[in-house]
Amino acid sequence: MPVFAGTNCVELNNRLNEQEYAARAICLRSSPRAVFLQMDGPCNHDCLFCSRPVAYRYFNLDDYRRRFAAKIDPIIAAAERLNLTGSGELLLLPQARENLTYFNQFVHTEKMFATNGSSLTPKMIDFIAASGNRYVIHVSLHAANEILHARMAGAHTYKAVLSNLEYVRKIKATISTLRVNYIFVATTENIKDLPAFVHFAAEHGADAVVAYYNYVYRLDQKALSCYFAQDLTNDMIDQALAVAKDCNLTIHLPPKFHQASYPRETICGEVWSNLMINTEGDIITCDVAGDSRESINGKSFDEVWNGEYYSRLRSLLKTGNHACSSACFRANPSVVNDFRSHFITRGKTPEEIAEFLAGS
Amino acid sequence: MKVALVQCPVWGTREPPLGLVQLSGCLKAFGIETKSFDLNNYLFRHRSESFDNLWAWEQSQFWYDRDSVEKFFVSVSATIDVFVDGVLGFSPNIIGFTVTASTFASSVLIAGHLKQKNPDCLIVFGGQGFMDSRAVSRAFAEASIDYVVPADGDSVFPELVGIIERKGDVRECLGLYFRNAGSVAYSGDPVSRTSLDSLAYMDFTDLRVQDYEDGRHLLMMASRGCVWHCAFCSSRAFGDKYRFMSGERIHQEIVYHKTTVSSDVRHIDFADLAFNGNMDRVRTFCDLMVRYPPVPQESMSWLANAIIHPELTLETLSRMAAAGCVRLIFGIESGSPALLKRMRKNYDPAIAVRVIKDARTAGIHTTCNFMFGFPGETESDFEQTLDFLRAIASSVDRVYPSRTYCAMEEFSSFYAHPEEFGIKTPITHHLYWESVDGTNTYPVRLKRCQRFELLCRELGVQVDSGVQTAVHRDEWFNLGHYYEYRREYGRALEYFYKYAAEDPCNAIVARKIQEISAAGKAGV
Ligand code: B12
Ligand code: SF4
């Protein structure tokens, strides 16, 4: 059991975790700073780039409590951030408020989740605001106009989303515990809209714009990758930066293509700081991780966190990032020019990977 | 593992079948690939003129008779083939049928077709039809049927699918009948959900609201069972306890369907037997509907069956009206406190008068249902019902006098204990039963209903179903059938002729006259 688990210890755990990362320790006394809990729910959108499988199991709180709470709850309590990830809209789950109420007990842990905005209704915002917990909400908009939004989302919810965001802005003005970032998953379909999107976000009181390159999951979505529109993408990134500067808005952008120089490669810290768990108890270190995985079933938390899987990755990472992914631009921005950094290899056969790479 | 869900006729066609859309939601929430097929609606929409009224409520009996259904299916065999191929085209490993008494025969026939075309598919029957344990043996008499679930399928069915997928032992799935070494075995009673809050939402992906007759409203069942146990009632749910969704959960589901199913939906019919069986949830629900309207700036209306409850005060009713409630339907049944007690209907008629008045003040329409000739009903009890009608005449919007007057339904407690209620045994007909002392017969009940309707007319109270203008026709129609049943064919003919004189185009009556006359029965 990590040393700080179970107490109001976020600060202490953070510090220790940083030290252990700095020392590239293999066996950690700190627990993860970020816990990613997969909270899949139903979805009312059908985004162009969506990775959702045909059938997937929704999060069920009773199930979580029965199977994982005893092991994971103390870890969440010591974590800086609980990231509720997964497919679909967690706010559309039948027990959405009960689910959030459960995790609100960890008052020192910041909660973060993504939504397409249509389920971020005034009722939900009031509820989140009233909880007193710190929340970072990522609103996946991807477009700043109705037609493009419908194209990206496969749904006609733009007006509903906008009216929800209007309410969010009103509530945000009255509390300090809520941050809202507008998300732009950049694809060849919407990249031209990025500067307008930044402007739109500033006008609507977003705290930041976060733009990512679309990770390609399926072959038929390959053409959506900005990798195939590099000059245009670079141009839009420049323009978006300029707009953000003008509007004094924080913006997070992915690295541009074919630059003369890139920031130096760092050793990825996710294996020291992250734990991602799904409803089956499977564990991975981060969303672009390779095929190997761990499971908490039949093990204690410590047997996972300091067990074979994490220890092996931590030792390998000492020698460079290829340990978990040779093409991850989070740790090495220059690999943006390698198409392998734009798609998810997890679960794919070498033949499938070759198919993805063909022509790029 | 793929699961196909099938609804066979006859069932409602106004909106998607609740059982199926609920099960589909539950299976999908467990990550099971599921597709729903509604043969009932498919046949209804593709029916020819000659079968126009097969879906009429009073024709339900047709569907209980396997031979009739089989003949009908043969006559529409091309349509049936397309449907069966559609189901098999999805390549399901398991096919689930939602079965009630009215869909049993058709389900068995379709299951047979499917199994014949794909013997590898496992066939599971479930639904309210299996509250009657005799239906379980009838189902297993069919070689095509592998499992029967006589329980809520919300958790049982996904669990069964999971066990089949991992080739586990089906005995571990509680709530399941299965074949075992030549006989049928039961795995034991499942633990039924005490709250419906964690229930997955209904899933309308395949059975779209807009493909049904009404197309613009949503049917929801936000509770199961009832808080009361009226002696005449057969509408029980599995588990028999009243289980419900909280107000928060109901609101959440409505908002969900608004954002996913159809933005055209502006109205909700609650199919709950007693929507206000728990008043707290009603208040919470209404507050949420007012505070967070599912369609901002637009109204969303709803109606529900309700019980008379002292907490239905003017203030609460006004909250309900503000939350979109446009109609409440009350099972009043009688105005006599003594008879209500005998019925085990737990309310005070004086409170009912107040509630109905307050509902009108609040702007909510009311429909009140009445029955006639409940065992033990005296003339004085009936007079009190008429007094009650007078008391509510200016505030009630509609009344619905039961056209079966007082039917002896299977699974009701007075059917199970006739001696306790002074009913002559054996009960040979659910409509034509009599009291031991012979004072309570079908014609007596019919007469009371007529007197009730006449008073409605006098008082200007609207009677449901448009029968207001034909009280006497109703009498002739029903008495014709009654005397035919009693083999008093001469009297039967007399009533059918009276009816035909006023409504010569009525095919049912014309056929009756022809049948009785042709067989020369009237002279017997
Ligand atoms: C709503 C309702 C209707 C609605 C249905 C609307 C719709 N689109 O679905 C309408 C008004 C159309 C209707 C009609 C009739 N109804 Co009705 N109805 C009901 C009621 C009130 C609720 C049923 C319901 O939807 N429950 C909610 C859903 C989610 O539950 P469910 O369907 O039971 O499904 C659950 C389980 O049964 C099980 N399950 C169901 N299917 C399957 C399949 C599998 C494979 C598995 C594993 C499990 C499973 O899991 C489900 C989820 O938990 C019940 C009484 C009650 N119980 O309260 C009567 C009831 C079902 N109806 C009944 C009858 C008889 C009829 C009629 C035939 C009446 C008539 N006069 O002939 C007509 C149909 C004729 C016609 N022409 O329409 C009877 C059935 C009796 C029986 N033993 O089969 C009931 C029980 C009432 C009663 N006791 O008299 N009805
Ligand atoms: S909102 Fe998210 S989960 Fe839903 S379709 Fe879009 S990307 Fe997929």
Side-chain angles (χ1 to χ4, degrees):
Chain A
M1 178 64 73
V3 280
F4 300 123
T7 55
N8 174 8
C9 50
V10 173
E11 274 303 310
L12 295 172
N13 186 58
N14 271 356
R15 229 173 297 146
L16 181 59
N17 188 268
E18 268 164 30
Q19 285 164 11
E20 289 179 323
Y21 170 63
R24 303 289 187 271
I26 305 292
C27 186
L28 307 190
R29 293 171 65 234
S30 63
S31 54
R33 283 156 60 184
V35 175
F36 291 70
L37 176 67
Q38 195 168 323
M39 196 180 260
D40 292 325
C43 194
N44 57 341
H45 279 191
D46 186 12
C47 296
L48 271 184
F49 50 81
C50 182
S51 63
R52 206 171 25 168
V54 184
Y56 59 100
R57 197 187 176 103
Y58 300 164
F59 178 81
N60 181 298
L61 184 60
D62 295 339
D63 208 42
Y64 169 85
R65 289 168 99 148
R66 198 167 37 83
R67 295 175 62 187
F68 308 119
K71 294 175 192 173
I72 299 295
D73 280 2
I75 309 308
I76 296 175
E80 185 175 20
R81 173 173 295 162
L82 171 65
N83 199 332
L84 302 167
T85 63
S87 288
E89 290 288 295
L90 59 86
L91 295 181
L92 285 181
L93 281 163
Q95 289 180 287
R97 296 214 298 181
E98 259 184 88
N99 294 343
L100 294 185
T101 301
Y102 182 81
F103 292 106
N104 281 341
Q105 68 177 296
F106 309 110
V107 284
H108 302 290
T109 306
E110 182 173 72
K111 320 293 176 309
M112 178 163 162
F113 67 86
T115 163
N116 62 35
S118 66
S119 61
L120 193 62
T121 58
K123 172 178 151 194
M124 285 302 174
I125 284 296
D126 282 350
F127 169 72
I128 286 167
S131 75
N133 273 244
R134 281 175 300 121
Y135 270 85
V136 178
I137 301 178
H138 278 187
V139 183
S140 300
L141 273 171
H142 323 305
N145 71 75
E146 190 165 2
I147 296 168
L148 185 61
H149 182 265
R151 166 111 188 92
M152 296 299 293
H156 296 276
T157 54
Y158 188 71
K159 287 202 178 85
V161 172
L162 243 54
S163 96
N164 288 343
L165 291 179
E166 208 35 62
Y167 192 79
V168 169
R169 176 205 182 81
K170 232 169 61 192
I171 295 300
K172 240 162 64 64
T174 64
I175 54 169
S176 59
T177 46
L178 180 61
R179 276 190 296 139
V180 176
N181 297 337
Y182 284 14
I183 306 299
F184 189 95
V185 169
T187 66
T188 45
E189 283 291 320
N190 64 343
I191 186 69
K192 273 197 196 141
D193 203 44
L194 182 58
F197 185 84
V198 178
H199 199 262
F200 171 91
E203 269 189 340
H204 284 77
D207 289 289
V209 162
V210 181
Y212 306 104
Y213 288 138
N214 168 38
Y215 277 117
V216 179
Y217 286 82
R218 294 198 320 251
L219 202 52
D220 61 308
Q221 295 165 330
K222 184 172 159 181
L224 289 173
S225 173
C226 287
Y227 180 84
F228 300 104
Q230 301 195 356
D231 292 339
L232 176 67
T233 303
N234 283 351
D235 191 18
M236 291 303 130
I237 287 179
D238 287 339
Q239 289 189 35
L241 252 177
V243 178
K245 211 165 156 198
D246 260 9
C247 304
N248 198 18
L249 180 71
T250 310
I251 187 164
H252 302 277
L253 291 160
K256 288 197 287 181
F257 292 97
H258 51 73
Q259 298 299 290
S261 68
Y262 284 95
R264 218 165 45 87
E265 180 176 0
T266 53
I267 294 290
C268 177
E270 314 231 336
V271 181
W272 278 266
S273 62
N274 279 9
L275 178 108
M276 297 187 99
I277 177 165
N278 71 10
T279 43
E280 294 306 320
D282 296 329
I283 283 174
I284 52 176
T285 53
C286 88
D287 56 341
V288 285
D291 271 331
S292 62
R293 60 176 56 196
E294 173 59 288
S295 165
I296 197 148
N297 295 313
K299 290 188 184 147
S300 68
F301 172 77
D302 203 46
E303 282 166 338
V304 168
W305 187 234
N306 285 320
E308 214 268 323
Y309 170 77
Y310 269 97
S311 306
R312 187 175 44 84
L313 281 173
R314 286 180 199 130
S315 351
L316 281 171
L317 274 168
K318 284 184 165 182
T319 63
N321 282 313
H322 54 271
C324 54
S325 166
S326 55
C328 171
F329 54 71
R330 286 184 191 155
N332 180 9
S334 72
V335 293
V336 67
N337 297 312
D338 181 343
F339 184 59
R340 281 174 303 167
S341 69
H342 295 267
F343 73 90
I344 298 288
T345 54
R346 193 169 55 245
K348 295 189 174 73
T349 61
E351 293 74 31
E352 283 169 331
I353 293 174
E355 242 186 299
F356 265 78
L357 289 173
S360 46
Chain B
M1 186 78 21
K2 286 186 178 185
V3 178
L5 294 173
V6 178
Q7 171 72 60
C8 284
V10 73
W11 200 238
T13 50
R14 281 188 73 225
E15 60 281 289
L18 273 181
L20 225 63
V21 291
Q22 184 61 69
L23 278 181
S24 173
C26 291
L27 288 162
K28 285 187 177 174
F30 275 85
I32 298 164
E33 200 176 339
T34 306
K35 201 165 167 62
S36 304
F37 301 86
D38 187 349
L39 177 63
N40 179 55
N41 196 41
Y42 188 72
L43 286 176
F44 176 71
R45 289 172 82 103
H46 293 83
R47 75 194 183 284
S48 67
E49 237 172 69
S50 46
F51 296 120
D52 203 27
N53 57 6
L54 266 193
W55 276 263
W57 200 274
E58 56 273 21
Q59 295 277 335
S60 303
Q61 282 303 326
F62 169 92
W63 298 96
Y64 287 67
D65 177 37
R66 184 170 173 157
D67 285 347
S68 312
V69 179
E70 197 157 10
K71 276 187 203 134
F72 172 65
F73 279 1
V74 169
S75 72
V76 292
S77 58
T79 318
I80 299 282
D81 283 346
V82 172
F83 180 85
V84 166
D85 290 345
V87 176
L88 294 176
F90 170 63
S91 316
N93 308 88
I94 299 173
I95 306 177
F97 284 76
T98 178
V99 181
T100 57
S102 65
T103 64
F104 187 89
S106 54
S107 301
V108 161
L109 291 167
I110 298 298
H113 277 295
L114 288 163
K115 195 77 166 194
Q116 202 180 10
K117 286 201 171 180
N118 184 355
D120 293 336
C121 271
L122 291 171
I123 306 272
V124 186
F125 270 25
Q128 304 250 341
F130 297 103
M131 267 191 282
D132 178 358
S133 56
R134 290 167 303 180
V136 176
S137 13
R138 277 175 62 211
F140 278 110
E142 306 291 331
S144 54
I145 292 153
D146 299 289
Y147 300 105
V148 170
V149 176
D152 283 347
D154 317 312
S155 323
V156 179
F157 201 18
E159 195 183 335
L160 174 64
V161 175
I163 291 176
I164 292 172
E165 186 166 22
R166 55 174 197 271
K167 299 191 171 56
D169 184 351
V170 292
R171 276 175 297 196
E172 282 171 16
C173 177
L174 295 180
L176 184 74
Y177 280 100
F178 55 97
R179 295 181 192 274
N180 186 18
S183 65
V184 172
Y186 183 54
S187 61
D189 291 339
V191 185
S192 85
R193 269 170 211 267
T194 44
S195 149
L196 301 185
D197 274 3
S198 60
L199 198 63
Y201 299 133
M202 295 182 282
D203 167 42
F204 296 98
T205 324
D206 305 314
L207 310 182
R208 303 179 323 154
V209 174
Q210 54 269 43
D211 292 337
Y212 286 76
E213 258 183 298
D214 183 273
R216 288 178 69 86
H217 83 262
L218 207 65
L219 182 70
M220 272 184 83
M221 183 110 183
S223 63
R224 296 196 184 155
C226 187
V227 277
W228 290 351
H229 288 91
C230 303
F232 53 81
C233 180
S234 65
S235 286
R236 294 284 152 68
F238 292 118
D240 221 26
K241 277 211 184 90
Y242 184 65
R243 290 161 300 142
F244 56 92
M245 289 176 191
S246 62
E248 155 64 27
R249 171 67 178 73
I250 306 171
H251 180 262
Q252 178 79 358
E253 176 145 11
I254 293 172
V255 173
Y256 171 76
H257 291 308
K258 270 308 292 181
T259 55
T260 53
V261 176
S262 162
S263 50
D264 289 343
V265 170
R266 290 278 184 279
H267 177 83
I268 293 140
D269 274 1
F270 285 104
D272 300 44
L273 299 174
F275 185 69
N276 61 335
N278 177 296
M279 285 300 298
D280 277 344
R281 77 162 189 157
V282 175
R283 286 183 284 258
T284 311
F285 169 64
C286 292
D287 290 347
L288 288 169
M289 287 292 275
V290 171
R291 184 131 187 241
Y292 304 108
V295 200
Q297 279 94 48
E298 282 174 48
S299 62
M300 168 79 95
S301 60
W302 51 275
L303 64 76
N305 298 310
I307 53 170
I308 296 293
H309 198 294
E311 289 176 37
L312 281 175
T313 57
L314 178 59
E315 193 220 330
T316 301
L317 286 159
S318 304
R319 261 156 106 173
M320 291 165 74
C325 178
V326 287
R327 179 174 294 280
L328 290 174
I329 300 146
F330 293 109
I332 295 292
E333 315 308 354
S334 168
S336 154
L339 194 69
L340 286 172
K341 210 162 174 200
R342 228 175 128 70
M343 286 178 175
R344 299 185 198 138
K345 232 177 153 49
N346 186 19
Y347 79 88
D348 174 354
I351 290 182
V353 173
R354 200 264 305 146
V355 166
I356 294 161
K357 246 183 214 154
D358 285 349
R360 158 143 298 204
T361 312
I364 297 175
H365 294 271
T366 47
T367 299
C368 291
N369 299 338
F370 290 86
M371 62 162 55
F372 308 95
F374 181 81
E377 183 181 82
T378 60
E379 182 55 25
S380 140
D381 289 322
F382 178 61
E383 284 295 340
Q384 291 180 64
T385 301
L386 296 181
D387 287 343
F388 183 88
L389 179 63
R390 290 182 189 98
I392 60 165
S394 58
S395 35
V396 73
D397 293 279
R398 258 193 242 167
V399 295
Y400 178 73
S402 168
R403 303 286 151 209
T404 52
Y405 319 125
C406 177
M408 189 73 52
E409 288 182 7
E410 265 192 296
F411 311 115
S412 60
S413 95
F414 73 166
Y415 182 89
H417 308 286
E419 58 302 328
E420 211 181 288
F421 290 89
I423 297 162
K424 199 187 268 176
T425 50
I427 301 165
T428 52
H429 197 286
H430 68 297
L431 295 181
Y432 308 142
W433 60 270
E434 290 181 17
S435 60
V436 174
D437 62 9
T439 57
N440 190 347
T441 62
Y442 185 74
V444 168
R445 298 193 283 276
L446 178 146
K447 270 275 166 293
R448 286 194 179 145
C449 178
Q450 279 181 343
R451 283 165 63 199
F452 180 89
E453 289 191 22
L454 282 173
L455 182 61
C456 288
R457 273 212 263 171
E458 250 173 55
L459 296 168
V461 173
Q462 193 192 336
V463 178
D464 213 358
S465 300
V467 278
Q468 211 165 5
T469 53
V471 177
H472 53 290
R473 262 199 228 163
D474 211 29
E475 171 187 357
W476 298 333
F477 187 89
N478 290 350
L479 286 179
H481 282 90
Y482 173 64
Y483 287 115
E484 185 197 8
Y485 171 77
R486 293 176 64 96
R487 300 172 188 230
E488 296 181 33
Y489 296 111
R491 292 179 82 175
L493 259 192
E494 186 190 320
Y495 283 109
F496 283 137
Y497 271 128
K498 274 186 177 173
Y499 185 96
E502 280 203 19
D503 182 12
C505 296
N506 187 298
I508 298 175
V509 170
R511 205 175 56 232
K512 283 285 170 201
I513 292 175
Q514 201 196 359
E515 274 171 19
I516 297 174
S517 312
K521 287 175 174 172
V524 179

